[in-house]
Amino acid sequence: FFLWDRWKMMLLLLLSTLLCLCASAYQATTIPPLIDVPTFSLSTSSGGDDASSSSSTMNILTYASPVAIKPQRMWSISLYKGTLSHENFGKEKRGILQLLRPAHALCKGDGEGDASGKLIRVLGGSSGRDVDKQAMCEELGFAWKPLECNEETNDNA
């Protein structure tokens, strides 16, 4: 019995030491950490027939996982509530999920200054309600192109 109490005390002391070491390594920051996971952009539209009545936007999305292939492809995604993307997706129940490449993090730009990360900041650090993301993306060398499709989708595509 005495050895068991001693063992628990040593374990508690070890865990307390580890916790203190971890706590001292923690540093609060306002800059999100860089993560090495697939990064997507979700393009959504409010569904207007012309550009004046449609509010299209794109955002950065890192929480996305495929959950079904048949009978139709389905992904589980996470969107911040209160964003234009969330509002559009809620209305239309669809969007275009695009897997970004490392080149998107670097940006093509026009060669002036360091464009590294600007596209990610435009899509993920600003609201489509406040800025014209389409124009900003075009300035960075990533023009938006319309997707021509009919109402029927081809599951084999």
Side-chain angles (χ1 to χ4, degrees):
F1 181 73
F2 178 72
L3 288 174
W4 178 247
D5 284 342
R6 195 172 189 184
W7 173 253
K8 287 194 300 187
M9 187 61 86
M10 288 177 61
L11 185 58
L12 184 60
L13 183 61
L14 177 65
L15 289 174
S16 297
T17 304
L18 287 174
L19 184 59
C20 286
L21 289 172
C22 291
S24 66
Y26 174 76
Q27 294 178 354
T29 179
T30 58
I31 301 170
L34 296 177
I35 53 177
D36 190 15
V37 296
T39 302
F40 299 87
S41 176
L42 180 69
S43 175
T44 60
S45 175
S46 63
D49 290 335
D50 60 4
S52 63
S53 63
S54 174
S55 56
S56 297
T57 191
M58 277 197 224
N59 72 339
I60 292 296
L61 198 126
T62 54
Y63 298 111
S65 297
V67 293
I69 296 174
K70 292 195 179 211
Q72 63 187 39
R73 295 177 189 179
M74 190 177 305
W75 285 69
S76 173
I77 62 172
S78 179
L79 294 171
Y80 282 107
K81 289 183 179 177
T83 63
L84 187 55
S85 294
H86 184 268
E87 183 180 308
N88 288 348
F89 195 82
K91 284 180 189 173
E92 294 297 314
K93 309 290 188 234
R94 62 182 174 177
I96 300 171
L97 189 62
Q98 307 163 91
L99 177 61
L100 300 181
R101 300 174 59 198
H104 292 108
L106 299 175
C107 287
K108 295 180 219 174
D110 57 3
E112 294 179 15
D114 180 23
S116 181
K118 285 188 180 179
L119 179 66
I120 303 302
R121 283 191 287 280
V122 165
L123 297 179
S126 57
S127 170
R129 289 189 176 96
D130 303 328
V131 299
D132 185 349
K133 288 188 179 185
Q134 185 170 3
M136 293 174 79
C137 287
E138 192 164 337
E139 286 176 23
L140 292 171
F142 294 98
W144 296 7
K145 297 178 183 172
L147 176 65
E148 301 297 331
C149 63
N150 54 13
E151 288 298 316
E152 298 295 320
T153 59
N154 182 354
D155 257 353
N156 297 324

